[in-house]
Amino acid sequence: MPGQHYDMPMTSVYAQRRARLAAQLGDGGVAIIPTAPELHRNRDTEYLYRHDSYFYYLTGFSEPNACLVLTSDGKSVLFCQPKDLEREVWTGYRLGPEAAKTKLGMAQAFSSDEINSRLPRLLENRERVWFPFATHKGLAEQVEGWLGQVRARSRFGVLCPTQQGDACALLDEMRLLKDEHEQDIMRRAAQISAQAHVRAMQRSARMIRNGEEVREYHLDAELLHEFRQHGSQYVAYGSIVAAGANACVLHYQADKAPVRAGELVLIDAGCELDGYASDITRTFPADGKFSGAQRALYELVLASQEAAIAVTRAGKRFNDPHEATVAVLAQGMLDLGLLERTKYGTAEDVIESRAYFQFYMHRTGHWLGMDVHDCGSYVEPSELGVVSERKDPISGETIANRPSRILRPGMVTTIEPGIYVRPAPGVPEQFHNIGIRIEDDAIVTETGCELITRGVPVKPDEIEALMRD
């Protein structure tokens, strides 16, 4: 698991982050950041444990039953599992409080069994307590209980915090900009995931050429093999392996449907490496050869992605890639006959009426980082007060528009246009049940963006060549 091997250069990365957060807590501020709980899968077994992202971002520590307390003067206190040689025989090595102080660079460390007795003392004479709102079930009630113990000592001259703040608001802004350490991990995660997609593409074509039965789970197995083969600890999310019409289901999960020659396969999958996610989608012909209709739709989606990539750079807005995508898709839907010109008019009319939504119903990107849908506001903080209203032409709902985020170097976003054609009146039959999405991960730079997932090709000729290999 990530975080079980500690060295001083890595420890300094987390210490620097804690110092940055401490500086934002205000005079007399204190932050409480717990990790994720263990969860039962069934009667007596747990899900594979995965730490809380906020906690790991500040500590690099991946054990369960832990909590970080950070004060505005930069003092870090860790509560963690105590050493227990008998339990370690069953559940594995524990760092323990004594080692945690030096290995993790903490001022103090205590057993997690002591948190209810010690934490109220850490809150005494503080002005504001910060913790992640609406993130950990029961945490708000715990904080109230600890504050109650502080109030009970008021007759001894103890002051109780009178303000509470959402630690997510501070940490989201920090996590939105990835430093070089984070970018390097994400590049390596992207490389592993790209090779996994290559394996899946090649196995699909190879099995079909050999006359073997291919199922979605065969291709999912290739993904998982490659992830673990190269040291990834987890999948970043449940892999989507969707054959044929299943590709028109946006969050379809890898299952047992047959993969047939002549159909497309959409795979949306990425590994998590050392706490950071990758996220790649590729769509390819199961047997390695696009049909005419498949290629026409694929080239449209690829052109829309290229338009989005061209406007992904520092100084642009987060919404700009989406708008560039929609402009290309709207024109292409008219050109290919998915939308009738006599009914829907020009591409501008299609965008205004959102008629394209029938075939493209999601955004073109999202933040990527420790979580596959990473934290960070999509609204520009300096322009929160700039609000305009519009009426959605489909739902009729009034929507408040605020200026979208200005892109800055170090932000990481996905670029993932798609098109999904379900059978419907007026839709040309040759396009029925075709679902296509192309997704890459992009690090924003001053002059453009660095696509870190192009270890797996996107051009149709290159995909066909790869699958012949």
Side-chain angles (χ1 to χ4, degrees), residues 166-215:
D166 185 4
C168 295
L170 306 179
L171 287 166
D172 287 357
E173 287 299 297
M174 290 174 60
R175 286 175 52 188
L176 185 55
L177 295 176
K178 276 63 178 179
D179 58 31
E180 285 300 322
H181 165 71
E182 295 175 289
Q183 291 179 31
D184 180 61
I185 296 174
M186 295 185 73
R187 289 185 187 97
R188 289 188 284 122
Q191 184 180 26
I192 293 169
S193 296
Q195 188 56 39
H197 279 260
V198 168
R199 281 184 65 109
M201 287 179 180
Q202 291 181 325
R203 184 173 185 189
S204 177
R206 183 171 65 250
M207 290 182 73
I208 288 175
R209 281 198 301 267
N210 293 341
E212 301 173 53
E213 180 186 56
V214 189
R215 298 275 176 171

Side-chain angles (χ1 to χ4, degrees), residues 1 12 32 36 41 65 83 104 106 116 134 153 158 184 230 250 305-306 314 365 368 377 384 401 414 429 457 460:
M1 292 179 66
S12 68
I32 302 170
R41 184 181 186 275
N65 303 316
K83 293 295 291 181
L104 301 176
M106 299 291 166
N116 287 325
R153 287 173 47 79
V158 170
D184 180 61
H230 294 283
L250 298 185
Q305 192 200 36
E306 290 170 346
L368 182 70
S377 175
L384 287 176
N401 279 342
T414 63
E429 187 174 353

